[in-house]
Amino acid sequence: MRTRLLPLLIILMAGVLLALGFPLAASLAASEQQRVVVDRLDDAARFAALAQFVSESSPGTDERQATLGGELASYHDVYGIRAGIFYRDNRAMAAAPEDWVVPYEGEGRRAFGEALLGRRSHNPPQVWPWQGQARLTIASPVVRDGDVVAVVVTDSPTGQLRSRILRGWLLIFAGEAAAMLVAIGAAFRLTGWVLRPVRVLDSVTHDIATGRMNSRVAATGGPPELRRLALSFNEMADNVEDALEQQRAFVADASHQLRNPLAALLLRIELLALELPEGNEEIASVRTEGKRLAQVLDDLLDLALAEHVAAELRLTDVGALAAERVAAWRPVADDKGVRLTGECGALTGWADPVALSSALDAVIDNALKFTPAGEEVTVTVSVDPGGANVSVVVADQGPGLTEDELVRVGDRFWRSGRHQNIKGSGLGLSITRVLLTAGGGGLAFAPNEPHGLRVTVSVPRNAPVEREGHGYSERR
C-alpha cells in the first residue's frame, strides 16, 4: 500500500510546488525587468529635460546641443547603452554612437511611435534568460510648450538583466528542491504513521489465521479511525477466541462425559455376549461399532487438546525422528506385506518433537492403511527448494484421491466415499494439521505418480521470533 500511496502524495506535492514556482519565477523576471525599465525611464527623463532647450532652428551650433551630445556619449561609454534624441521626422538631435539612427521596425519603432503620441514605454515585452540577442528599448517624449517635438530612445543590452533573472530562478529552483525533499521526508513519515497500524493489523490477522489466537493489535499510533479499527478488531478477536474456546471446552467435556457411559455400555455388551452363542454376528458388529465410537471420542479429545495447547518448539533432528518412526511402523507394514522404506538424512528444523512425531505417525498410518500388499511406502526427508522448510514426504502406492477429494482431504470427519469400510474416524489428518500449524509447519497433499498419494509434512528450518504486531518472522 505504501508503494501506491507514497507516489501519489509526492506527485501531488510536486504539482503544488510547480504551480507556485512558475508564477513566482515569472513574477521575479517581471520585477527585475521593471527595475531596469524604471531606471531607463529616469535616464530618458533627464535627457528629455536637457533636450527641451535645444533649438531646432540652428542645428550643430547650439551649445546646449553639444552638451547634450557629450552627455549621451558619456552615458554610452560608461553603461554601454545606446541613446539618442530624434525629431519627429527621424532626424537626430544627438545620438551616441553618432551613427545610430532611430529604429525603423520592431519593438524600437513601436516605442518611438508611442512616444510621439506623448506616452512613455512603461510595459516593454518581457525579456527571458534564453533570449540571447534580446535588447530593451525605452522611448520617452520631449515636450515643449505642450507639443512633442522629439523622442528620447535608449537601447540597452540585456545580458546583466538575464543573468539576474537566471540567478533568481536558480534560487527558486533550489528552494523548491529543498521544499520537495522536506515534502518527501514528510510524506514518508506521514505514510509510515498512517500505514503502521495497517501493517500491524495485517500481521496480527495473519497470526490469527495461522492459529495464534492470542495475538492482538496494540492501538497506540496512527489516525484515530485506525485506532478505533484496531480496538474493534481486538474485540472481534476476543469474541472469536471465546467462541472457539467454548467449542473446544464443549468437545473436551463431551468426550470426557461420554467415555464413562460408553465404557459401561461396552462392558454390558461383553456380559451380554457371555449369555449368547459363540460367534454371534450381531454382538461382533456391536463390539466393532462401540470400539469405533470410543476411537472417535479419543480423537475428538486429542483434537481439542491439540487446538488448546501451544507448541513447544526446539531444534529437532527431523531426519532422526523420521527414521525412528519408520522403524516403529515397519513391523505393521511387514504384517500387511507392504515395503516401508526411508531416506532420512541428517536435517534439523524447529518443531515440537512430540507433535511432529504424532503427525508422522498419523500420516504413515494413513499411508499403510490404503496401500495394498506388495506395494511400497517411502518416507523421504529433504529441504524445500527455497530453503525455508524441512519436508518429510510420505508417498504411498494406494488408490490415491481425485482432484475434488484432494481439496477436502484433512477436513474433520471427512473420508472418501470409496474408503468408508476402512478403519478410522476421519480426524487423524485434521489433528495432524492442527499440531503442525501451531508450530509454524504445514501439511500438503498431492497425487503420487503413477498412482497413490504424496503427503508432505513441513517444519521451518529457522527459529520463529517475535515480530512487530505479535507476529512471527524467521531468524536469519
Side-chain angles (χ1 to χ4, degrees):
M1 183 180 291
R2 185 171 190 170
T3 57
R4 295 189 293 272
L5 182 59
L6 192 59
L8 179 61
L9 290 176
I10 291 176
I11 290 173
L12 288 176
M13 289 184 289
V16 170
L17 289 175
L18 289 176
L20 295 175
F22 280 114
L24 182 60
S27 176
L28 174 69
S31 175
E32 290 291 339
Q33 178 165 312
Q34 190 62 30
R35 287 173 52 193
V36 175
V37 169
V38 170
D39 184 68
R40 298 297 180 271
L41 287 175
D42 290 342
D43 295 339
R46 182 169 63 88
F47 294 139
L50 295 175
Q52 291 183 65
F53 303 103
V54 175
S55 175
E56 185 178 357
S57 59
S58 55
T61 60
D62 192 337
E63 182 180 351
R64 294 188 182 90
Q65 185 176 5
T67 302
L68 180 60
E71 289 286 340
L72 294 176
S74 299
Y75 185 72
H76 178 262
D77 293 339
V78 173
Y79 299 109
I81 300 173
R82 295 185 295 189
I85 303 172
F86 303 93
Y87 292 111
R88 298 182 65 89
D89 57 1
N90 297 334
R91 290 182 297 111
M93 180 188 299
E98 294 181 358
D99 57 348
W100 187 48
V101 296
V102 65
Y104 287 97
E105 60 183 10
E107 178 59 27
R109 192 63 191 180
R110 184 192 68 81
F112 187 82
E114 287 186 354
L116 291 177
L117 298 176
R119 298 193 295 267
R120 297 195 299 176
S121 302
H122 287 289
N123 190 28
Q126 180 64 50
V127 175
W128 302 107
W130 56 82
Q131 295 175 320
Q133 303 299 322
R135 299 183 71 86
L136 189 64
T137 301
I138 299 296
S140 180
V142 178
V143 180
R144 184 186 301 159
D145 297 330
D147 296 327
V148 177
V149 296
V151 174
V152 179
V153 180
T154 63
D155 184 64
S156 310
T158 59
Q160 293 184 357
L161 172 61
R162 289 183 287 109
S163 296
R164 287 197 300 271
I165 294 175
L166 184 59
R167 283 196 299 269
W169 283 7
L170 291 177
L171 289 176
I172 293 175
F173 174 78
E176 295 235 333
M180 192 65 195
L181 292 176
V182 172
I184 291 174
F188 270 99
R189 293 294 299 273
L190 178 62
T191 54
W193 178 70
V194 171
L195 297 180
R196 184 178 181 275
V198 178
R199 291 195 301 270
V200 173
L201 184 61
D202 175 71
S203 175
V204 175
T205 303
H206 174 73
D207 292 342
I208 293 177
T210 54
R212 292 184 281 272
M213 299 300 299
N214 61 341
S215 296
R216 294 294 182 270
V217 179
T220 57
E225 295 80 4
L226 291 180
R227 291 200 295 271
R228 288 196 298 271
L229 176 62
L231 293 175
S232 300
F233 179 87
N234 288 340
E235 292 177 3
M236 180 194 68
D238 290 337
N239 293 332
V240 171
E241 186 178 17
D242 289 342
L244 291 177
E245 186 60 33
Q246 291 173 5
Q247 181 185 19
R248 294 191 195 103
F250 172 77
V251 172
D253 292 342
S255 300
H256 276 295
Q257 293 298 324
L258 290 174
R259 290 180 73 181
N260 290 335
L262 181 60
L265 180 61
L266 291 175
L267 180 59
R268 291 178 184 275
I269 292 173
E270 294 297 332
L271 293 176
L272 180 60
L274 296 177
E275 303 295 331
L276 296 175
E278 186 71 25
N280 188 287
E281 293 183 359
E282 293 298 328
I283 288 295
S285 176
V286 171
R287 282 174 175 167
T288 302
E289 290 300 322
K291 291 178 180 179
R292 181 173 180 274
L293 182 56
Q295 182 63 46
V296 169
L297 290 177
D298 289 339
D299 288 345
L300 282 172
L301 184 59
D302 290 340
L303 180 60
L305 292 175
E307 291 177 339
H308 183 72
V309 178
E312 297 181 1
L313 303 182
R314 60 175 178 264
L315 190 61
T316 304
D317 190 338
V318 179
L321 184 59
E324 176 187 328
R325 302 324 301 157
V326 169
W329 282 94
R330 187 165 284 125
V332 178
D334 293 340
D335 288 342
K336 284 198 62 179
V338 176
R339 296 189 306 277
L340 178 60
T341 61
E343 299 178 5
C344 307
L347 292 174
T348 58
W350 284 83
D352 184 334
V354 176
L356 180 58
S357 179
S358 300
L360 292 177
D361 285 343
V363 173
I364 295 174
D365 178 36
N366 197 68
L368 294 177
K369 282 180 185 178
F370 296 100
T371 302
E375 298 292 350
E376 182 181 19
V377 175
T378 60
V379 179
T380 306
V381 180
S382 62
V383 179
D384 286 354
N389 297 319
V390 176
S391 297
V392 182
V393 179
V394 180
D396 63 57
Q397 295 182 351
L401 298 173
T402 64
E403 291 186 3
D404 293 337
E405 291 173 334
L406 284 173
V407 176
R408 295 204 58 191
V409 65
D411 292 349
R412 297 175 183 180
F413 296 107
W414 182 86
R415 303 184 74 190
S416 173
R418 296 174 290 137
H419 306 144
Q420 294 294 331
N421 60 338
I422 297 179
K423 180 182 177 182
S425 63
L427 288 173
L429 293 179
S430 298
I431 297 172
T432 299
R433 175 169 286 168
V434 171
L435 292 172
L436 292 171
T437 302
L443 188 66
F445 305 90
N448 183 40
E449 299 300 337
H451 59 84
L453 185 67
R454 288 172 59 89
V455 183
T456 302
V457 176
S458 60
V459 296
R461 291 192 69 189
N462 302 286
V465 294
E466 290 288 342
R467 71 183 176 189
E468 181 182 22
H470 306 287
Y472 293 87
S473 63
E474 292 184 351
R475 182 183 292 122
R476 297 297 180 186

